[in-house]
Amino acid sequence: MMTAIAPPQSGQRLALLIQYQGTHFHGWQRQVGQRTVQEVIEQAIASVVNHPVSVVAAGRTDTGVHAAGQVAHVTVNSPIPAHRWPGILNARLPADVVIRAAAVVPDHWHARFSALWRRYRYTLYTDPCPNIFLRPWTWHYYYAPLDVEKMAAVLQPLLGRHHLSAFHRSGSNRAHSWVEVQDVSCQRRGALVEIEVQASGFLYGMMRLLVGLLVQVGQGQRSPASFTEIWQQEQRHLVKYAAPPTGLCLLGVGYPESPFPLALCTEAMPQFVTPELSIA
């Protein structure tokens, strides 16, 4: 069992804007014997301030999941000004993690509990021809054509506050499955299909389970009515397939007053481009 690291009794609280490629990480959360994003960032900070630190993220991404705009906070005993922290930490971090910005925030500000929303994008690459540059960031799904308009339409009833236990993996210590879904979209751009969901919070495994079921609708294996009935009737046993983690990316996190300029956050949201190919 892991022992929590107590934050320093005094010091400044920093908000961090973080990007990482999740391919070689066992998720965000610190775990004994596993390489995690939280651990490598905490080690980098501790090497500067010479005391243990605990970095708290807005959301705990799973193994293999990426982040374009993860936000976290940490309290440090250090006179180093906020604008210098990204350069100092990036010199100590591995190549698959980047601190894009840092800002001083009030002591009561919390990366997780102060957040209003999180936004995820899942990307599928549908051309049969492999693309090595897209492989780490997408699900190469070419087995059957996808009806993207049908997929987009079936997402709309998810808007609002719902009990989404059908998309909740076991192993979570969350006491309930209520989620306020604020925005949804599904669109095709060339050979890519992009599914985005913005919500107050996300359940453990929610996006990957949702995409797995949504793809069944797109390929005609499941009807739109069946998709909606499954989550409305909380039929978790019928959601059998989770999309692979490679296509999932945490795009950003929203706050009443963001510690970072809006442009800095939105420009961090990657969007791949493929030629307009003839796809089945």
Side-chain angles (χ1 to χ4, degrees), residues 177-199:
S177 299
W178 288 101
V179 176
E180 180 194 350
V181 179
Q182 301 166 348
D183 189 41
V184 292
S185 68
C186 180
Q187 63 174 341
R188 178 183 290 281
R189 293 192 313 109
L192 301 172
V193 173
E194 299 171 340
I195 301 155
E196 293 192 17
V197 178
Q198 179 175 305

Side-chain angles (χ1 to χ4, degrees), residues 121-183:
R121 177 190 295 147
Y122 196 95
T123 306
L124 299 97
Y125 174 56
T126 62
D127 192 274
C129 184
N131 187 323
I132 197 169
F133 296 103
L134 293 175
R135 186 177 294 166
W137 314 101
T138 63
W139 177 12
H140 190 194
Y141 187 93
Y142 56 92
Y143 319 106
L146 296 174
D147 187 332
V148 175
E149 290 185 2
K150 186 183 293 183
M151 292 166 67
V154 82
L155 285 174
Q156 292 302 310
L158 282 164
L159 292 170
R161 189 170 186 267
H162 304 288
H163 198 259
L164 297 181
S165 60
F167 303 128
H168 197 173
R169 281 178 55 191
S170 60
S172 169
N173 58 5
R174 182 165 171 165
H176 63 84
S177 299
W178 288 101
V179 176
E180 180 194 350
V181 179
Q182 301 166 348
D183 189 41

Side-chain angles (χ1 to χ4, degrees), residues 144-265:
L146 296 174
D147 187 332
V148 175
E149 290 185 2
K150 186 183 293 183
M151 292 166 67
V154 82
L155 285 174
Q156 292 302 310
L158 282 164
L159 292 170
R161 189 170 186 267
H162 304 288
H163 198 259
L164 297 181
S165 60
F167 303 128
H168 197 173
R169 281 178 55 191
S170 60
S172 169
N173 58 5
R174 182 165 171 165
H176 63 84
S177 299
W178 288 101
V179 176
E180 180 194 350
V181 179
Q182 301 166 348
D183 189 41
V184 292
S185 68
C186 180
Q187 63 174 341
R188 178 183 290 281
R189 293 192 313 109
L192 301 172
V193 173
E194 299 171 340
I195 301 155
E196 293 192 17
V197 178
Q198 179 175 305
S200 57
F202 283 76
L203 306 172
Y204 180 42
M206 174 177 152
M207 271 297 288
R208 291 174 57 198
L209 289 169
L210 189 155
V211 171
L213 195 67
L214 187 64
V215 164
Q216 292 183 336
V217 174
Q219 68 177 20
Q221 183 179 344
R222 187 176 296 281
S223 70
S226 172
F227 176 93
T228 303
E229 180 181 353
I230 284 173
W231 68 259
Q232 287 184 342
Q233 300 298 321
E234 304 174 34
Q235 297 173 325
R236 174 66 182 86
H237 64 286
L238 295 179
V239 186
K240 298 181 179 180
Y241 306 106
T246 52
L248 186 57
C249 182
L250 172 59
L251 292 183
V253 186
Y255 296 91
E257 294 183 7
S258 175
F260 308 108
L262 180 61
L264 188 63
C265 299

Side-chain angles (χ1 to χ4, degrees), residues 5 7 13-16 28 38 54-60 70-75 103-118 200 253-260:
I5 299 174
R13 176 162 291 199
L14 295 174
L16 304 174
W28 166 270
Q38 182 183 24
S54 179
V55 178
V56 180
R60 298 173 180 176
Q70 173 73 278
V71 178
H73 76 258
V74 62
T75 301
V104 176
V105 290
D107 290 342
H108 65 267
W109 191 91
H110 197 284
R112 178 184 174 192
F113 298 128
S114 299
L116 296 176
W117 53 263
R118 290 89 173 155
S200 57
V253 186
Y255 296 91
E257 294 183 7
S258 175
F260 308 108

Side-chain angles (χ1 to χ4, degrees), residues 19 25 35-36 40-41 44 89-98:
Q19 288 183 331
F25 284 107
R35 183 177 187 258
T36 67
V40 300
I41 294 177
L89 294 180
N90 289 335
R92 291 166 167 79
L93 287 168
D96 46 2
V97 185
V98 168

Side-chain angles (χ1 to χ4, degrees), residues 8 12 14 42-53 74-80 85 88-89 92:
Q12 63 178 354
L14 295 174
E42 288 178 345
Q43 289 175 345
I45 297 172
S47 71
V48 177
V49 299
N50 294 317
H51 64 73
V53 297
V74 62
T75 301
V76 294
N77 283 328
S78 172
I80 298 173
W85 275 102
I88 291 171
L89 294 180
R92 291 166 167 79

Side-chain angles (χ1 to χ4, degrees), residues 17-23 28 37 59 61-62 64-71 96-98 100 119-120 137 248-253 268-270:
L17 183 62
I18 308 166
Q19 288 183 331
Y20 48 87
Q21 180 180 354
T23 307
W28 166 270
V37 183
T61 53
D62 295 338
V65 175
H66 317 295
Q70 173 73 278
V71 178
D96 46 2
V97 185
V98 168
R100 283 179 55 82
R119 190 175 185 93
Y120 280 88
W137 314 101
L248 186 57
C249 182
L250 172 59
L251 292 183
V253 186
M269 299 182 182

